[in-house]
Amino acid sequence: MSNKKNNTQLIEQALVKPSNTISRIWIIPIITALLGLWMVYYYYSNQGPLITIELTQAEGVEAGITKIKFRDVQIGKVEKITLKNSLDGVLITARMNKDAKKLLVKDSKFWIVSTKINHSGISDLSTLFSGNYIEVQAGTSTKKADYFIGLAERPITAPDAPGMHITLNSAEEFAFKSGAPILYKGLKVGQIEDVYFNFDKRIVYYNAFIKAPYHKLITKNTRFWNISGIQINLKAQGISVKTGSLETLLANGITFGVLKGMPVGDRITKRADFDIYKSYEQADAARYQQAIKYALLVEDSVRGLNVGAPVEYRGVIIGRVESISLGNKSRNGVTTKAVKIPVLISIQPGRIGLPDTPASLDIIAAQMDRWLKYGLSATISTGNFFTGSKIVEIHPSKKVQDNNIAYKAQQYLGYRIIPLTADKVSLLLTKTSEFVDHLAKLPLDKLSTDASGLLIELSNTAKEFQKVSKNLEQVLADTNQQSTINNLNNTLKSFTKVANDFAKGSKNYDELTQTLLLMQDNLQALKPLLRKVDNKPNSLIFSGAIEDDIIPKKWIKNNKKERINE
């Protein structure tokens, strides 16, 4: 009873209070949630910007796989590929790394890297195993951007590459492609970056880059010319074959340099324009800007004479042929006279040691006028027998005669005319033709008939001699017989008959005499040609005057005016 009472007292003393603490079991979910929030924050806080790249096509690009690289280091990845609304290209959405923000400026460039096989070789072969990727080239702008126009191909030159950009232009029919090499003495020192065609001027412009330190070679007097493939030129001087490097044999190439005889000139420090010439010879000819022009009126054929053919004075080039067959708009209707072919030539003072200035043209004009008074002439001669190319040669004359009045009247379309004479080869051909004509006029049929008759007479004479020999045998056999005397008489009569056939006044004598006189006349016609061959045996092949020509003398200044002494 007492125990029960005690228990009741104990129960009445217990107090129930509510719990104000959180169960420890919630610690783990809370920590997990905090970690998740921290990871989300870390992910977004360290996530790079989202950019869009516009390309014409997405060759080998896959969303979630294709990487974006800078100097072979991954800086982003493609997330999405969509077509443009205009369906003329694709839009590539890519997520960049946070540390790549400095690359995302306005002039940065993007392009797809894949294996390429072209005339320059094989490039980016590693993409066959790793797959295509997008490469970025850092720009120099300070403006941020998130939309970029991708390039179709890899840029030829990096924007920060040391060197110099130049512009080359050409109106010729040869063409160069992006990546075409630019050589200097066989070394590759630059290349063509891109090509632009001007439709208005119909000229092709090439943006090129010369890398350092070779860009220091570019001066105001630098000339560029083509060295593509194998160049074979058939000129009056002969046949020339030129080749560049192995790379230029497979594709077009350009080289440059300062022409022989020209000063180096001042260095070019910024972008400049240069012409591309077809060859070194064309580049060399283009430096002679001043020229005085004369006309030649050709009666014979001009086959083998080409535009650009040299004009020579005693073997020295003093000019070139500018054009052949100039048009004469003043002549109308049909003419009964033979039409002469006009050939326009130019004489360039820079080729003969005078300054390439307009003042030198007056000196050349005065010299030519003086020589024309004394019979200056020109010839169109064969410069090379193998190619058939012809040249124009200027020949002063020693004859002292004043043709100034007649010369002033001889002009063609405003150009002064230089008299034209035949060259030595043409004269030889003319003499040969005349000799053949003389031979054709010979009475060969009559001579043949006379020769046949003469042969018959000789045959009869031989038969008579045979009879004589038989008679002599009989005489030796029987010298005492009377018939021996008769045979001797008959033999003497036969000799007498033969002598009468060739005696003076006979038909055979007259025909033989006429033949010998005709042959003597033909040999007399050949006498000048034989004398020339005897004096100069090589004159049949090589042309050249035997007599000495007038030798120009130096200039003498008098009263501040220049005059010309013969």
Side-chain angles (χ1 to χ4, degrees):
M1 189 69 177
S2 60
N3 290 335
K4 187 175 181 180
K5 185 177 180 180
N6 293 332
N7 291 336
T8 302
Q9 292 178 353
L10 291 173
I11 293 173
E12 290 179 355
Q13 292 177 356
L15 298 175
V16 178
K17 296 180 179 180
S19 176
N20 295 327
T21 60
I22 299 175
S23 177
R24 295 179 179 178
I25 197 172
W26 289 101
I27 295 177
I28 295 177
I30 292 173
I31 293 175
T32 303
L34 292 175
L35 289 174
L37 292 174
W38 180 82
M39 291 177 64
V40 171
Y41 170 78
Y42 181 82
Y43 174 77
Y44 283 102
S45 63
N46 288 277
Q47 190 179 44
L50 200 65
I51 64 170
T52 302
I53 305 171
E54 179 183 337
L55 294 169
T56 56
Q57 58 183 1
E59 180 183 3
V61 179
E62 299 181 28
I65 297 178
T66 302
K67 303 174 182 179
I68 299 178
K69 295 183 178 182
F70 176 74
R71 299 186 184 275
D72 289 332
V73 177
Q74 181 179 347
I75 60 173
K77 182 179 290 187
V78 174
E79 290 190 352
K80 185 173 63 174
I81 303 174
T82 59
L83 292 174
K84 292 178 62 178
N85 294 331
S86 58
L87 301 180
D88 59 351
V90 296
L91 298 176
I92 298 176
T93 303
R95 177 69 66 179
M96 305 297 292
N97 296 345
K98 185 178 180 180
D99 55 358
K101 288 182 178 181
K102 60 182 71 176
L103 298 174
L104 304 179
V105 293
K106 189 174 181 179
D107 57 347
S108 294
K109 295 177 173 50
F110 293 80
W111 66 91
I112 298 176
V113 178
S114 60
T115 303
K116 300 289 185 182
I117 301 176
N118 51 32
H119 62 274
S120 300
I122 302 175
S123 60
D124 301 309
L125 189 61
S126 61
T127 57
L128 291 176
F129 306 98
S130 63
N132 295 353
Y133 62 91
I134 298 176
E135 188 166 354
V136 59
Q137 183 182 82
T140 58
S141 175
T142 57
K143 295 182 179 180
K144 299 294 183 180
D146 59 1
Y147 190 93
F148 301 92
I149 305 297
L151 304 178
E153 295 181 357
R154 181 194 300 269
I156 301 299
T157 307
D160 56 347
M164 182 174 61
H165 292 271
I166 59 174
T167 300
L168 306 176
N169 60 79
S170 172
E172 298 291 342
E173 296 182 357
F174 53 82
F176 305 95
K177 298 180 180 179
S178 297
I182 298 178
L183 308 179
Y184 181 78
K185 297 185 181 300
L187 298 176
K188 184 177 180 180
V189 299
Q191 52 190 343
I192 301 294
E193 292 183 320
D194 56 76
V195 183
Y196 168 72
F197 180 73
N198 189 316
F199 285 91
D200 296 331
K201 298 181 179 179
R202 298 187 179 184
I203 296 177
V204 182
Y205 292 95
Y206 304 95
N207 291 322
F209 180 78
I210 307 297
K211 61 184 180 182
Y214 302 101
H215 69 288
K216 299 178 181 179
L217 299 172
I218 307 300
T219 66
K220 292 183 177 180
N221 290 335
T222 299
R223 299 292 183 269
F224 291 79
W225 62 90
N226 177 38
I227 54 167
S228 303
I230 300 177
Q231 298 179 353
I232 301 177
N233 296 323
L234 301 178
K235 302 180 293 184
Q237 292 83 359
I239 302 175
S240 64
V241 180
K242 296 181 179 180
T243 61
S245 63
L246 180 60
E247 188 175 1
T248 58
L249 288 176
L250 303 176
N252 292 349
I254 304 172
T255 188
F256 66 91
V258 178
L259 301 177
K260 185 178 181 180
M262 292 185 65
V264 176
D266 298 331
R267 273 189 55 194
I268 299 295
T269 57
K270 58 182 180 179
R271 180 184 286 269
D273 296 342
F274 295 91
D275 294 327
I276 305 176
Y277 296 96
K278 190 174 183 179
S279 62
Y280 176 86
E281 289 75 14
Q282 191 180 81
D284 183 68
R287 66 174 171 173
Y288 302 109
Q289 301 295 325
Q290 303 298 327
I292 184 169
K293 297 178 180 179
Y294 293 88
L296 309 176
L297 299 181
V298 185
E299 296 181 354
D300 297 330
S301 173
V302 293
R303 178 177 297 175
L305 184 65
N306 301 317
V307 174
V311 177
E312 296 185 359
Y313 173 78
R314 295 181 176 178
V316 178
I317 297 177
I318 62 173
R320 65 191 298 269
V321 175
E322 296 293 340
S323 62
I324 301 175
S325 185
L326 292 172
N328 189 353
K329 298 181 181 179
S330 62
R331 182 173 63 85
N332 297 318
V334 179
T335 179
T336 58
K337 299 180 180 180
V339 178
K340 298 180 180 180
I341 301 175
V343 176
L344 186 66
I345 66 172
S346 64
I347 298 178
Q348 300 162 326
R351 290 185 179 271
I352 56 179
L354 295 176
D356 193 24
T357 58
S360 298
L361 298 181
D362 297 334
I363 300 175
I364 295 297
Q367 180 68 73
M368 292 294 292
D369 287 342
R370 185 176 182 84
W371 279 350
L372 283 166
K373 292 179 182 180
Y374 294 97
L376 175 72
S377 62
T379 60
I380 299 177
S381 57
T382 301
N384 189 285
F385 286 97
F386 296 101
T387 63
S389 300
K390 292 185 177 181
I391 62 175
V392 177
E393 292 183 309
I394 302 296
H395 301 289
S397 175
K398 288 185 177 181
K399 297 180 181 179
V400 180
Q401 54 184 2
D402 191 352
N403 294 328
N404 191 28
I405 298 177
Y407 168 68
K408 286 185 178 179
Q410 295 178 352
Q411 291 199 2
Y412 183 85
L413 297 181
Y415 299 108
R416 287 169 285 186
I417 297 177
I418 298 178
L420 198 64
T421 58
D423 64 318
K424 301 300 182 181
V425 176
S426 299
L427 292 176
L428 178 61
L429 293 176
T430 302
K431 292 293 184 181
T432 305
S433 178
E434 292 176 356
F435 175 72
V436 173
D437 292 338
H438 283 300
L439 290 179
K441 293 179 181 179
L442 291 176
L444 297 180
D445 294 337
K446 185 178 180 180
L447 290 176
S448 177
T449 302
D450 295 341
S452 298
L454 181 61
L455 291 175
I456 293 173
E457 293 292 338
L458 292 176
S459 177
N460 293 333
T461 303
K463 292 179 180 180
E464 294 294 335
F465 274 111
Q466 289 180 353
K467 293 179 180 180
V468 170
S469 65
K470 291 181 180 179
N471 293 333
L472 288 176
E473 290 179 356
Q474 293 180 359
V475 170
L476 293 175
D478 190 6
T479 57
N480 295 323
Q481 295 181 358
Q482 184 64 32
S483 59
T484 302
I485 299 174
N486 295 331
N487 291 333
L488 290 174
N489 291 330
N490 292 332
T491 302
L492 292 175
K493 290 179 180 180
S494 298
F495 276 112
T496 303
K497 182 179 179 180
V498 173
N500 290 333
D501 289 337
F502 291 92
K504 185 175 182 180
S506 65
K507 180 180 179 180
N508 291 336
Y509 177 85
D510 293 338
E511 292 177 349
L512 184 60
T513 302
Q514 184 179 2
T515 301
L516 293 175
L517 291 175
L518 190 57
M519 293 181 67
Q520 184 178 1
D521 293 338
N522 292 330
L523 292 175
Q524 189 69 22
L526 289 174
K527 188 175 181 181
L529 180 62
L530 294 175
R531 184 184 298 111
K532 181 179 180 180
V533 173
D534 183 65
N535 293 332
K536 190 177 182 181
N538 62 351
S539 61
L540 293 177
I541 300 177
F542 302 96
S543 61
I546 297 178
E547 300 179 355
D548 295 332
D549 294 330
I550 299 175
I551 300 177
K553 297 183 179 180
K554 65 180 181 179
W555 295 92
I556 300 176
K557 294 186 178 179
N558 188 15
N559 296 329
K560 298 184 179 178
K561 294 184 179 179
E562 295 180 340
R563 65 177 184 177
I564 304 167
N565 291 334
E566 180 180 346

